[in-house]
Each structure stands twice: as structure tokens, then as C-alpha cells.
Amino acid sequence: MVKLSTSDSPAARLPVAERPLVSVCMPAYNVEKCLRDALTSVLSQTHHDIEVILVDDGSTDRTPDVARSAVDERLRYVRNPTNLGGFQTMNKAVSLAKGDLVAIYHSDDVYEPMIIECQVDYLNTHPEAGAVFCLDHFMDESGTIFGGMTLPDEFVEREWLTYDDVFPFIMRHKNVLFCCPTFMVRREVLDEVGLFDPEKYDIAADLDLWIRIVRRFPIGILNKRLMRYRVGKAQWSSRYKRLRTEPELYFAVMDHYLRADDWLRKLSPSDLVEYAFHRCDDETFRAANLVLRGDITAASELLQRPYPWRTLVTSVRRRKLRVLLLRALMRGAVRLRAVNSLARFLAWSEYGGRIS
């Protein structure tokens, strides 16, 4: 837990009438087991000037009952008559927000008591910044913490990050920088750059929004783990990944801004090589899924694409070696027509033996 005296924070020293109202927007879908803990953690924040807008995206479990059982005048519960989708529901919640600051938190995670206060303090003391994130603990479905996010060394001492910092980093490492359910932003920033665009980018709509913001405003990342991020099979990202055969939508976002902002002239050769490796990694994963789906022809076409060998000069990591070996194994098994054995191996290696 962050050790910071409430009375010492800039937000706490402001007169009550001048303290910023924070609208906490929480989309919810079939989270009956987690919702009570999530709501309790948000409603127990040390920064009291909040409204919580919980939008239920047509849950089919007891989520509505849990939501209605929470008694707090700051909580507003809205239920979608039909399932709209995660980012559509976030956009709806934001459209109902009244605060000068808007936070988008998740309804299956747990928030440390001072996350809102720390983020408000940052935005109060850094008027140049448009938004702020923080780090997270990783938590399994039972609530046990098993690790956490770490801020890259190159950014530890930075007051904020700019577009020139963020885009090359995400090219090299993908988005291991911004934790979506720790997002707090100034309302006027959203008014300027717009909301999530799920119709165009689906599950990658958050990455698109982060880039749209940082193109115009610096972004802060607090070097503190101020929430517990629940990891499990029911996660949207886990469902998206399962047996996926289409290119990861991360590439659609990055390719768009590569072209829009002429990044090819500004990126280093190592940036481009690492990006090529991520694409190769994705093609390898998709090829494995195609084998499991029985489409050997399409899998073989993906496996014929070249491995970016120069990535091993940049750095040798376990993931890079794994992709290289997995591609060789799949190509060999296909040539030997050992497809059934290959499929059994892939079911075990990629999904723990369970693909149904």
C-alpha cells in the first residue's frame, strides 16, 4: 500500500468546493463473484469526491442483484437492455459522467484505497499531462497476488512520457506500458480526442485511444502498484486469444499510426526488427490455432513466412527462441504428415490440453 498522508496531498488541501469530482466509470458483465469487492474498494477511496457509474452490459448472472445491494449515494447503476460490448459500455458510462476527471476502472479488479487520490494529485501538480496511469499487482481468480507490473527502467525517473517515448517503446515491446483499468483522464482531453473506437479496432480500441491522447498531451505513469488486476480464463483478452486465426488487432493500430505520422523515417532499425518479430510471433500462434482447427494449408502458408533473424542480434529472449523452435517443429510435422500428433502437442503447449 502506498504510504502517503491524506492531509499532505494537494487535493486534500483544497477547499471542499474546489476538490475535483472524479467520475469512476465501471463497465460490468457477468461479474457477480467479483463485483462486491471491486465496488467496495472504489467506494472506500481516501478521495471522497467521486461518483461511480456502473454500467451493466446485459449480464445474465446475479450482477444486477449485487449492484443493487450496494448502498451509497455516490453510486449510479445503469443496465444495458442488450449486450453492447466492453468499449461501447465504457463510452456509455463516460457519456453519463459529470466529473472534471474521468477514471475507467474494471468491475472485477480490486483498487488500493489511495489510487484515486494519487492520480488526482498527479494531474493537479502536472497540468501539462492529459492522463495518468499506474502499475498493478497480478491477482488470480481466487484473489492471490502472484506478481506485478514493473515500470521500464528508462522511464522510472520521468515526470511524464511523450509520443516520441511511447510509440517506439510499444513497437519494440507491445503494450506492456499502460494498464487499462488504471486510466484517469481530464474530461476536456476526451472532448478533444474522442472516446474508444471499438467499431474500428475492437479489443485494441484502448491502445488506439492511448496513442490519440499521447499524440497531443504528455501522459504520466505512477511508479506504484495501486490496484490488483485479476487474471483468469473469463477475461476478455483470454477469450479473444483462444483459437484466434485473424491477425492481432495491435498491428492494425500500430500500422495506422506508422503511416499517419511517417514513423518509418524516425524509427531505428532495431525498432522495426522487433516489430517484425512480434508479427512473426503472432503468425506462429495463428498457425498453431489453424492446425488445431484442421486448416493445414493456411497454417503452412503462415509458416512459410520468414523468421526475422536479426531480432536475435537485438536480444536473445526465451520467447524468441520458443517461436523459432515451434515454427521448425510445426513445419517438420506437416512435412512428415504427423498432423494428429502435432495437434495433440499444440493443444497441450498452447492451452494446457483443453481446447473445447
Short mmCIF file of all heavy atoms in Angstrom, two decimals, residues 27-84:
data_model
loop_
_atom_site.label_atom_id
_atom_site.label_comp_id
_atom_site.label_asym_id
_atom_site.label_seq_id
_atom_site.Cartn_x
_atom_site.Cartn_y
_atom_site.Cartn_z
N PRO A 27 -17.54 -0.54 -16.37
CA PRO A 27 -18.36 -1.48 -17.13
C PRO A 27 -18.41 -2.81 -16.39
O PRO A 27 -17.46 -3.20 -15.71
CB PRO A 27 -17.61 -1.60 -18.45
CG PRO A 27 -16.18 -1.38 -18.07
CD PRO A 27 -16.20 -0.37 -16.94
N ALA A 28 -19.53 -3.51 -16.52
CA ALA A 28 -19.68 -4.79 -15.82
C ALA A 28 -20.40 -5.79 -16.71
O ALA A 28 -21.39 -5.44 -17.37
CB ALA A 28 -20.46 -4.60 -14.52
N TYR A 29 -19.90 -7.02 -16.71
CA TYR A 29 -20.59 -8.09 -17.43
C TYR A 29 -20.30 -9.41 -16.75
O TYR A 29 -19.15 -9.87 -16.70
CB TYR A 29 -20.17 -8.15 -18.90
CG TYR A 29 -20.89 -9.26 -19.65
CD1 TYR A 29 -22.24 -9.15 -19.95
CD2 TYR A 29 -20.22 -10.41 -20.02
CE1 TYR A 29 -22.91 -10.17 -20.62
CE2 TYR A 29 -20.86 -11.43 -20.69
CZ TYR A 29 -22.22 -11.31 -20.98
OH TYR A 29 -22.88 -12.32 -21.62
N ASN A 30 -21.32 -10.01 -16.16
CA ASN A 30 -21.23 -11.32 -15.50
C ASN A 30 -20.07 -11.37 -14.51
O ASN A 30 -19.18 -12.22 -14.59
CB ASN A 30 -21.08 -12.42 -16.55
CG ASN A 30 -22.39 -12.70 -17.28
OD1 ASN A 30 -23.44 -12.14 -16.94
ND2 ASN A 30 -22.34 -13.55 -18.28
N VAL A 31 -20.09 -10.45 -13.55
CA VAL A 31 -19.02 -10.35 -12.55
C VAL A 31 -19.58 -10.51 -11.13
O VAL A 31 -19.09 -9.89 -10.20
CB VAL A 31 -18.25 -9.02 -12.68
CG1 VAL A 31 -17.38 -9.01 -13.91
CG2 VAL A 31 -19.22 -7.83 -12.69
N GLU A 32 -20.61 -11.34 -10.98
CA GLU A 32 -21.25 -11.47 -9.67
C GLU A 32 -20.27 -11.88 -8.57
O GLU A 32 -20.42 -11.47 -7.42
CB GLU A 32 -22.39 -12.50 -9.74
CG GLU A 32 -21.95 -13.92 -10.08
CD GLU A 32 -23.09 -14.92 -10.00
OE1 GLU A 32 -24.20 -14.52 -9.61
OE2 GLU A 32 -22.87 -16.11 -10.32
N LYS A 33 -19.24 -12.66 -8.90
CA LYS A 33 -18.30 -13.15 -7.89
C LYS A 33 -17.29 -12.08 -7.47
O LYS A 33 -16.72 -12.18 -6.38
CB LYS A 33 -17.56 -14.38 -8.41
CG LYS A 33 -18.45 -15.58 -8.68
CD LYS A 33 -17.63 -16.75 -9.22
CE LYS A 33 -18.52 -17.95 -9.51
NZ LYS A 33 -17.74 -19.08 -10.06
N CYS A 34 -17.08 -11.10 -8.31
CA CYS A 34 -16.02 -10.11 -8.06
C CYS A 34 -16.55 -8.71 -7.77
O CYS A 34 -15.82 -7.88 -7.22
CB CYS A 34 -15.08 -10.02 -9.27
SG CYS A 34 -14.49 -11.58 -9.91
N LEU A 35 -17.77 -8.43 -8.16
CA LEU A 35 -18.26 -7.06 -8.17
C LEU A 35 -18.29 -6.42 -6.80
O LEU A 35 -17.94 -5.25 -6.64
CB LEU A 35 -19.65 -7.00 -8.81
CG LEU A 35 -20.30 -5.62 -8.90
CD1 LEU A 35 -19.41 -4.65 -9.67
CD2 LEU A 35 -21.67 -5.71 -9.54
N ARG A 36 -18.69 -7.16 -5.79
CA ARG A 36 -18.80 -6.58 -4.46
C ARG A 36 -17.44 -6.05 -3.98
O ARG A 36 -17.33 -4.93 -3.46
CB ARG A 36 -19.35 -7.59 -3.46
CG ARG A 36 -19.78 -6.97 -2.13
CD ARG A 36 -20.36 -8.01 -1.19
NE ARG A 36 -21.43 -8.77 -1.82
CZ ARG A 36 -22.69 -8.36 -1.93
NH1 ARG A 36 -23.02 -7.17 -1.46
NH2 ARG A 36 -23.60 -9.13 -2.51
N ASP A 37 -16.38 -6.85 -4.17
CA ASP A 37 -15.04 -6.42 -3.75
C ASP A 37 -14.59 -5.21 -4.55
O ASP A 37 -13.96 -4.29 -4.01
CB ASP A 37 -14.04 -7.57 -3.92
CG ASP A 37 -14.22 -8.66 -2.88
OD1 ASP A 37 -14.88 -8.41 -1.85
OD2 ASP A 37 -13.70 -9.76 -3.09
N ALA A 38 -14.88 -5.21 -5.86
CA ALA A 38 -14.46 -4.09 -6.70
C ALA A 38 -15.15 -2.80 -6.26
O ALA A 38 -14.51 -1.75 -6.10
CB ALA A 38 -14.77 -4.39 -8.16
N LEU A 39 -16.47 -2.86 -6.07
CA LEU A 39 -17.21 -1.68 -5.66
C LEU A 39 -16.77 -1.19 -4.28
O LEU A 39 -16.61 0.02 -4.06
CB LEU A 39 -18.71 -1.97 -5.65
CG LEU A 39 -19.42 -1.95 -7.00
CD1 LEU A 39 -20.88 -2.34 -6.83
CD2 LEU A 39 -19.31 -0.57 -7.65
N THR A 40 -16.59 -2.11 -3.37
CA THR A 40 -16.16 -1.73 -2.02
C THR A 40 -14.83 -1.00 -2.07
O THR A 40 -14.62 0.02 -1.38
CB THR A 40 -16.06 -2.97 -1.11
OG1 THR A 40 -17.34 -3.59 -0.99
CG2 THR A 40 -15.55 -2.59 0.27
N SER A 41 -13.91 -1.50 -2.90
CA SER A 41 -12.59 -0.87 -2.97
C SER A 41 -12.67 0.53 -3.56
O SER A 41 -11.91 1.42 -3.15
CB SER A 41 -11.63 -1.75 -3.78
OG SER A 41 -11.96 -1.76 -5.16
N VAL A 42 -13.56 0.76 -4.51
CA VAL A 42 -13.69 2.09 -5.12
C VAL A 42 -14.44 3.04 -4.19
O VAL A 42 -14.06 4.21 -4.03
CB VAL A 42 -14.38 1.99 -6.49
CG1 VAL A 42 -14.70 3.37 -7.04
CG2 VAL A 42 -13.48 1.24 -7.48
N LEU A 43 -15.49 2.56 -3.56
CA LEU A 43 -16.28 3.43 -2.69
C LEU A 43 -15.57 3.74 -1.37
O LEU A 43 -16.00 4.63 -0.64
CB LEU A 43 -17.65 2.78 -2.42
CG LEU A 43 -18.57 2.70 -3.65
CD1 LEU A 43 -19.76 1.80 -3.36
CD2 LEU A 43 -19.03 4.10 -4.07
N SER A 44 -14.49 3.03 -1.09
CA SER A 44 -13.72 3.26 0.15
C SER A 44 -12.48 4.10 -0.09
O SER A 44 -11.58 4.14 0.76
CB SER A 44 -13.30 1.91 0.75
OG SER A 44 -14.43 1.11 1.04
N GLN A 45 -12.41 4.80 -1.20
CA GLN A 45 -11.24 5.59 -1.53
C GLN A 45 -11.05 6.76 -0.57
O GLN A 45 -12.01 7.31 -0.04
CB GLN A 45 -11.37 6.13 -2.96
CG GLN A 45 -11.24 5.07 -4.03
CD GLN A 45 -9.84 4.51 -4.13
OE1 GLN A 45 -8.86 5.24 -4.27
NE2 GLN A 45 -9.72 3.19 -4.04
N THR A 46 -9.79 7.15 -0.37
CA THR A 46 -9.49 8.29 0.50
C THR A 46 -9.89 9.61 -0.15
O THR A 46 -10.06 10.61 0.55
CB THR A 46 -7.99 8.33 0.85
OG1 THR A 46 -7.22 8.36 -0.36
CG2 THR A 46 -7.60 7.12 1.67
N HIS A 47 -9.99 9.65 -1.46
CA HIS A 47 -10.55 10.81 -2.15
C HIS A 47 -12.06 10.57 -2.27
O HIS A 47 -12.50 9.72 -3.04
CB HIS A 47 -9.91 10.97 -3.53
CG HIS A 47 -10.38 12.19 -4.27
ND1 HIS A 47 -9.71 13.39 -4.22
CD2 HIS A 47 -11.47 12.40 -5.07
CE1 HIS A 47 -10.35 14.28 -4.96
NE2 HIS A 47 -11.42 13.71 -5.48
N HIS A 48 -12.82 11.30 -1.49
CA HIS A 48 -14.26 11.01 -1.37
C HIS A 48 -15.11 11.65 -2.46
O HIS A 48 -16.26 11.25 -2.66
CB HIS A 48 -14.77 11.48 -0.01
CG HIS A 48 -14.07 10.84 1.14
ND1 HIS A 48 -14.24 9.52 1.47
CD2 HIS A 48 -13.18 11.35 2.05
CE1 HIS A 48 -13.48 9.22 2.52
NE2 HIS A 48 -12.83 10.30 2.89
N ASP A 49 -14.57 12.64 -3.14
CA ASP A 49 -15.38 13.41 -4.10
C ASP A 49 -15.45 12.65 -5.43
O ASP A 49 -14.79 13.00 -6.41
CB ASP A 49 -14.78 14.80 -4.30
CG ASP A 49 -14.71 15.54 -2.98
OD1 ASP A 49 -15.78 15.83 -2.40
OD2 ASP A 49 -13.59 15.79 -2.51
N ILE A 50 -16.24 11.59 -5.41
CA ILE A 50 -16.35 10.74 -6.58
C ILE A 50 -17.82 10.44 -6.86
O ILE A 50 -18.68 10.54 -5.98
CB ILE A 50 -15.59 9.41 -6.42
CG1 ILE A 50 -16.21 8.56 -5.29
CG2 ILE A 50 -14.11 9.65 -6.16
CD1 ILE A 50 -15.61 7.16 -5.16
N GLU A 51 -18.09 10.11 -8.10
CA GLU A 51 -19.32 9.42 -8.46
C GLU A 51 -18.89 8.14 -9.17
O GLU A 51 -17.89 8.12 -9.89
CB GLU A 51 -20.19 10.29 -9.38
CG GLU A 51 -19.53 10.65 -10.71
CD GLU A 51 -20.51 11.28 -11.69
OE1 GLU A 51 -21.71 11.37 -11.38
OE2 GLU A 51 -20.05 11.68 -12.79
N VAL A 52 -19.63 7.08 -8.93
CA VAL A 52 -19.32 5.79 -9.55
C VAL A 52 -20.47 5.44 -10.48
O VAL A 52 -21.61 5.30 -10.03
CB VAL A 52 -19.10 4.69 -8.49
CG1 VAL A 52 -18.78 3.36 -9.17
CG2 VAL A 52 -17.98 5.09 -7.53
N ILE A 53 -20.16 5.31 -11.74
CA ILE A 53 -21.17 4.98 -12.75
C ILE A 53 -20.93 3.56 -13.18
O ILE A 53 -19.98 3.26 -13.93
CB ILE A 53 -21.09 5.95 -13.95
CG1 ILE A 53 -21.21 7.40 -13.48
CG2 ILE A 53 -22.18 5.62 -14.96
CD1 ILE A 53 -20.82 8.41 -14.53
N LEU A 54 -21.75 2.65 -12.69
CA LEU A 54 -21.63 1.23 -13.00
C LEU A 54 -22.62 0.89 -14.11
O LEU A 54 -23.84 0.99 -13.91
CB LEU A 54 -21.92 0.39 -11.75
CG LEU A 54 -21.89 -1.13 -11.93
CD1 LEU A 54 -20.47 -1.60 -12.24
CD2 LEU A 54 -22.42 -1.83 -10.68
N VAL A 55 -22.12 0.52 -15.28
CA VAL A 55 -22.99 0.19 -16.41
C VAL A 55 -22.89 -1.31 -16.67
O VAL A 55 -21.84 -1.82 -17.05
CB VAL A 55 -22.62 0.98 -17.67
CG1 VAL A 55 -23.58 0.64 -18.81
CG2 VAL A 55 -22.67 2.48 -17.38
N ASP A 56 -23.99 -1.99 -16.43
CA ASP A 56 -24.09 -3.43 -16.61
C ASP A 56 -24.44 -3.72 -18.07
O ASP A 56 -25.48 -3.29 -18.57
CB ASP A 56 -25.17 -3.97 -15.67
CG ASP A 56 -25.41 -5.46 -15.79
OD1 ASP A 56 -24.76 -6.11 -16.63
OD2 ASP A 56 -26.26 -5.98 -15.04
N ASP A 57 -23.56 -4.46 -18.74
CA ASP A 57 -23.73 -4.71 -20.17
C ASP A 57 -24.60 -5.95 -20.43
O ASP A 57 -24.21 -6.86 -21.14
CB ASP A 57 -22.37 -4.86 -20.84
CG ASP A 57 -22.45 -4.79 -22.35
OD1 ASP A 57 -23.44 -4.23 -22.87
OD2 ASP A 57 -21.51 -5.27 -23.02
N GLY A 58 -25.78 -5.96 -19.81
CA GLY A 58 -26.72 -7.07 -20.05
C GLY A 58 -26.30 -8.37 -19.42
O GLY A 58 -26.44 -9.45 -20.04
N SER A 59 -25.78 -8.34 -18.19
CA SER A 59 -25.32 -9.55 -17.52
C SER A 59 -26.44 -10.58 -17.41
O SER A 59 -27.62 -10.24 -17.23
CB SER A 59 -24.79 -9.23 -16.13
OG SER A 59 -23.63 -8.43 -16.19
N THR A 60 -26.04 -11.85 -17.46
CA THR A 60 -27.00 -12.95 -17.34
C THR A 60 -26.87 -13.68 -16.01
O THR A 60 -27.57 -14.67 -15.79
CB THR A 60 -26.82 -13.95 -18.50
OG1 THR A 60 -25.46 -14.44 -18.50
CG2 THR A 60 -27.10 -13.28 -19.83
N ASP A 61 -25.97 -13.21 -15.14
CA ASP A 61 -25.82 -13.82 -13.82
C ASP A 61 -26.43 -12.88 -12.77
O ASP A 61 -27.32 -12.09 -13.08
CB ASP A 61 -24.34 -14.13 -13.53
CG ASP A 61 -23.48 -12.87 -13.44
OD1 ASP A 61 -24.02 -11.76 -13.67
OD2 ASP A 61 -22.29 -12.99 -13.15
N ARG A 62 -25.95 -12.92 -11.53
CA ARG A 62 -26.51 -12.12 -10.45
C ARG A 62 -25.84 -10.75 -10.32
O ARG A 62 -26.00 -10.07 -9.30
CB ARG A 62 -26.39 -12.87 -9.13
CG ARG A 62 -27.24 -14.13 -9.04
CD ARG A 62 -27.18 -14.75 -7.65
NE ARG A 62 -27.64 -13.82 -6.63
CZ ARG A 62 -26.85 -13.14 -5.80
NH1 ARG A 62 -25.53 -13.27 -5.89
NH2 ARG A 62 -27.36 -12.33 -4.89
N THR A 63 -25.14 -10.31 -11.33
CA THR A 63 -24.51 -8.98 -11.29
C THR A 63 -25.51 -7.89 -10.92
O THR A 63 -25.21 -7.03 -10.07
CB THR A 63 -23.83 -8.67 -12.63
OG1 THR A 63 -22.71 -9.56 -12.79
CG2 THR A 63 -23.35 -7.23 -12.69
N PRO A 64 -26.72 -7.84 -11.50
CA PRO A 64 -27.68 -6.78 -11.11
C PRO A 64 -28.02 -6.81 -9.62
O PRO A 64 -28.14 -5.75 -8.99
CB PRO A 64 -28.91 -7.07 -11.97
CG PRO A 64 -28.38 -7.83 -13.14
CD PRO A 64 -27.26 -8.67 -12.60
N ASP A 65 -28.19 -8.00 -9.05
CA ASP A 65 -28.53 -8.11 -7.63
C ASP A 65 -27.40 -7.57 -6.76
O ASP A 65 -27.65 -6.86 -5.77
CB ASP A 65 -28.81 -9.57 -7.27
CG ASP A 65 -30.00 -10.14 -8.02
OD1 ASP A 65 -30.90 -9.36 -8.37
OD2 ASP A 65 -30.01 -11.35 -8.28
N VAL A 66 -26.15 -7.93 -7.12
CA VAL A 66 -25.01 -7.45 -6.34
C VAL A 66 -24.91 -5.92 -6.45
O VAL A 66 -24.69 -5.23 -5.45
CB VAL A 66 -23.71 -8.11 -6.82
CG1 VAL A 66 -22.51 -7.54 -6.07
CG2 VAL A 66 -23.78 -9.62 -6.65
N ALA A 67 -25.10 -5.40 -7.64
CA ALA A 67 -25.00 -3.95 -7.85
C ALA A 67 -26.06 -3.21 -7.03
O ALA A 67 -25.77 -2.20 -6.39
CB ALA A 67 -25.15 -3.63 -9.33
N ARG A 68 -27.28 -3.70 -7.05
CA ARG A 68 -28.37 -3.02 -6.35
C ARG A 68 -28.27 -3.14 -4.84
O ARG A 68 -28.88 -2.36 -4.11
CB ARG A 68 -29.71 -3.56 -6.84
CG ARG A 68 -30.00 -3.22 -8.32
CD ARG A 68 -31.38 -3.66 -8.74
NE ARG A 68 -31.65 -3.36 -10.14
CZ ARG A 68 -31.79 -4.27 -11.10
NH1 ARG A 68 -31.71 -5.56 -10.80
NH2 ARG A 68 -32.02 -3.91 -12.36
N SER A 69 -27.49 -4.11 -4.38
CA SER A 69 -27.33 -4.28 -2.93
C SER A 69 -26.33 -3.30 -2.34
O SER A 69 -26.25 -3.14 -1.12
CB SER A 69 -26.88 -5.71 -2.61
OG SER A 69 -25.54 -5.93 -3.04
N ALA A 70 -25.54 -2.64 -3.19
CA ALA A 70 -24.57 -1.65 -2.71
C ALA A 70 -25.29 -0.34 -2.41
O ALA A 70 -25.95 0.23 -3.29
CB ALA A 70 -23.49 -1.43 -3.76
N VAL A 71 -25.21 0.11 -1.17
CA VAL A 71 -25.92 1.31 -0.74
C VAL A 71 -24.91 2.44 -0.57
O VAL A 71 -24.12 2.46 0.38
CB VAL A 71 -26.68 1.07 0.57
CG1 VAL A 71 -27.41 2.34 0.99
CG2 VAL A 71 -27.65 -0.09 0.41
N ASP A 72 -24.90 3.36 -1.52
CA ASP A 72 -24.03 4.53 -1.45
C ASP A 72 -24.60 5.56 -2.42
O ASP A 72 -24.79 5.26 -3.60
CB ASP A 72 -22.59 4.17 -1.83
CG ASP A 72 -21.60 5.27 -1.46
OD1 ASP A 72 -21.76 6.39 -1.97
OD2 ASP A 72 -20.67 5.00 -0.69
N GLU A 73 -24.84 6.75 -1.93
CA GLU A 73 -25.46 7.78 -2.77
C GLU A 73 -24.58 8.20 -3.93
O GLU A 73 -25.05 8.81 -4.90
CB GLU A 73 -25.82 9.00 -1.93
CG GLU A 73 -24.62 9.69 -1.30
CD GLU A 73 -25.03 10.87 -0.43
OE1 GLU A 73 -26.24 11.05 -0.21
OE2 GLU A 73 -24.13 11.60 0.02
N ARG A 74 -23.30 7.85 -3.88
CA ARG A 74 -22.39 8.21 -4.97
C ARG A 74 -22.42 7.19 -6.11
O ARG A 74 -21.81 7.42 -7.16
CB ARG A 74 -20.95 8.33 -4.44
CG ARG A 74 -20.79 9.42 -3.39
CD ARG A 74 -19.41 9.32 -2.74
NE ARG A 74 -19.24 8.04 -2.06
CZ ARG A 74 -18.09 7.59 -1.56
NH1 ARG A 74 -16.99 8.33 -1.69
NH2 ARG A 74 -18.03 6.42 -0.95
N LEU A 75 -23.10 6.09 -5.91
CA LEU A 75 -23.15 5.02 -6.91
C LEU A 75 -24.40 5.13 -7.76
O LEU A 75 -25.52 5.24 -7.25
CB LEU A 75 -23.13 3.65 -6.22
CG LEU A 75 -23.33 2.43 -7.12
CD1 LEU A 75 -22.21 2.30 -8.15
CD2 LEU A 75 -23.46 1.15 -6.28
N ARG A 76 -24.21 5.08 -9.07
CA ARG A 76 -25.31 5.07 -10.02
C ARG A 76 -25.22 3.79 -10.85
O ARG A 76 -24.20 3.52 -11.48
CB ARG A 76 -25.26 6.29 -10.93
CG ARG A 76 -26.39 6.34 -11.97
CD ARG A 76 -26.28 7.58 -12.83
NE ARG A 76 -27.35 7.65 -13.82
CZ ARG A 76 -27.42 8.59 -14.76
NH1 ARG A 76 -26.50 9.53 -14.83
NH2 ARG A 76 -28.42 8.58 -15.63
N TYR A 77 -26.29 3.01 -10.84
CA TYR A 77 -26.31 1.74 -11.58
C TYR A 77 -27.21 1.88 -12.80
O TYR A 77 -28.36 2.30 -12.70
CB TYR A 77 -26.82 0.60 -10.68
CG TYR A 77 -27.05 -0.70 -11.41
CD1 TYR A 77 -25.97 -1.41 -11.96
CD2 TYR A 77 -28.33 -1.23 -11.56
CE1 TYR A 77 -26.17 -2.60 -12.63
CE2 TYR A 77 -28.54 -2.42 -12.23
CZ TYR A 77 -27.46 -3.10 -12.76
OH TYR A 77 -27.67 -4.29 -13.43
N VAL A 78 -26.65 1.54 -13.96
CA VAL A 78 -27.37 1.60 -15.23
C VAL A 78 -27.22 0.23 -15.90
O VAL A 78 -26.12 -0.35 -15.90
CB VAL A 78 -26.81 2.69 -16.16
CG1 VAL A 78 -27.55 2.71 -17.49
CG2 VAL A 78 -26.89 4.05 -15.48
N ARG A 79 -28.30 -0.26 -16.46
CA ARG A 79 -28.24 -1.58 -17.11
C ARG A 79 -28.59 -1.46 -18.58
O ARG A 79 -29.64 -0.90 -18.95
CB ARG A 79 -29.21 -2.56 -16.43
CG ARG A 79 -29.22 -3.96 -17.07
CD ARG A 79 -30.07 -4.91 -16.24
NE ARG A 79 -30.35 -6.15 -16.95
CZ ARG A 79 -29.53 -7.19 -17.02
NH1 ARG A 79 -28.36 -7.13 -16.40
NH2 ARG A 79 -29.86 -8.28 -17.69
N ASN A 80 -27.69 -1.97 -19.45
CA ASN A 80 -27.99 -2.02 -20.87
C ASN A 80 -29.05 -3.09 -21.13
O ASN A 80 -28.92 -4.21 -20.63
CB ASN A 80 -26.74 -2.37 -21.68
CG ASN A 80 -25.67 -1.30 -21.62
OD1 ASN A 80 -25.98 -0.14 -21.34
ND2 ASN A 80 -24.44 -1.66 -21.89
N PRO A 81 -30.08 -2.78 -21.90
CA PRO A 81 -31.10 -3.80 -22.20
C PRO A 81 -30.56 -4.96 -23.01
O PRO A 81 -31.05 -6.09 -22.92
CB PRO A 81 -32.17 -3.03 -22.97
CG PRO A 81 -31.47 -1.82 -23.49
CD PRO A 81 -30.41 -1.48 -22.50
N THR A 82 -29.52 -4.72 -23.82
CA THR A 82 -28.85 -5.77 -24.57
C THR A 82 -27.35 -5.59 -24.42
O THR A 82 -26.86 -4.53 -24.04
CB THR A 82 -29.22 -5.72 -26.07
OG1 THR A 82 -28.85 -4.44 -26.60
CG2 THR A 82 -30.71 -5.94 -26.27
N ASN A 83 -26.60 -6.63 -24.74
CA ASN A 83 -25.15 -6.59 -24.63
C ASN A 83 -24.57 -5.74 -25.76
O ASN A 83 -24.74 -6.05 -26.93
CB ASN A 83 -24.58 -8.02 -24.69
CG ASN A 83 -23.08 -8.05 -24.50
OD1 ASN A 83 -22.33 -8.04 -25.46
ND2 ASN A 83 -22.65 -8.09 -23.25
N LEU A 84 -23.88 -4.65 -25.40
CA LEU A 84 -23.30 -3.74 -26.38
C LEU A 84 -21.85 -4.05 -26.69
O LEU A 84 -21.38 -3.80 -27.79
CB LEU A 84 -23.41 -2.30 -25.88
CG LEU A 84 -24.81 -1.74 -25.63
CD1 LEU A 84 -24.71 -0.30 -25.15
CD2 LEU A 84 -25.66 -1.83 -26.88
#
